[in-house]
Amino acid sequence: MGVHANTLAARKRELRELVETSQSQLEELRKQTQEAERKATEAQSSLEATQKDLERALPFEKEVKEKNLLIGKLRHEAVILNDHLTKALRFLKKGKPEDNVDRYESKEQCILPIHS
C-alpha cells in the first residue's frame, strides 16, 4: 500500500498543479478578454466621433470645391488683366510722353460716361 499511496499522492499533486495552472491560464484569458473588450469599446467610441466629424465636414467639402473653382477663375482673370495691362504699358511706352497724356484723357472721357 505504500507504493499505491505514493502513486496516489503524486497523482493528486499533478492534478492540483494542473488545476492551478488551468485556473491561472483562465484568469489570464479573462484579463485579455476584458482588455480586448475595453479596446473594442474605445475603438467604437472613436469611430462614432470620427463619423460625427465627417458628417459635420461633408457640407463644407462642396463649398471648398466651389471656392477653389472660383479662385481658379479669378486667377485666370487676373492673368488676363495683367496681360492687358502689360500690353497697354508697352503701348504707352512706345509713344511720345505728350501723346500719352492725350491718349489717357481721351480714353478717360470715353470710359467715364460708361461707368456713370
Side-chain angles (χ1 to χ4, degrees):
M1 255 222 222
V3 174
H4 183 64
N6 287 340
T7 306
L8 188 59
R11 182 72 180 137
K12 282 183 180 180
R13 217 174 310 116
E14 286 176 18
L15 288 173
R16 195 176 318 120
E17 288 174 4
L18 184 62
V19 168
E20 289 173 1
T21 303
S22 295
Q23 287 176 338
S24 175
Q25 289 173 345
L26 180 61
E27 186 60 33
E28 182 60 32
L29 289 173
R30 283 185 181 144
K31 287 179 183 177
Q32 290 175 2
T33 301
Q34 288 175 346
E35 180 66 14
E37 288 172 350
R38 185 188 65 76
K39 287 181 178 181
T41 302
E42 285 179 6
Q44 184 64 34
S45 297
S46 177
L47 174 63
E48 290 170 5
T50 302
Q51 286 174 331
K52 287 178 184 177
D53 289 344
L54 180 61
E55 287 172 12
R56 282 194 298 264
L58 282 176
F60 297 110
E61 184 180 5
K62 183 179 179 187
E63 186 178 342
V64 167
K65 286 180 181 177
E66 291 171 356
K67 299 286 184 190
N68 282 336
L69 185 62
L70 180 60
I71 288 170
K73 288 179 181 178
L74 291 172
R75 281 184 177 156
H76 179 70
E77 189 174 332
V79 168
I80 291 172
L81 289 173
N82 189 42
D83 187 48
H84 289 306
L85 287 172
T86 303
K87 287 179 183 175
L89 282 172
R90 213 176 292 130
F91 178 75
L92 289 172
K93 286 179 181 177
K94 286 182 182 176
K96 292 184 270 181
E98 59 273 5
D99 288 347
N100 291 347
V101 174
D102 293 339
R103 280 190 202 129
Y104 174 73
E105 287 174 356
S106 65
K107 294 252 185 208
E108 188 178 74
Q109 290 169 358
C110 291
I111 293 173
L112 289 178
I114 294 173
H115 290 297
S116 300

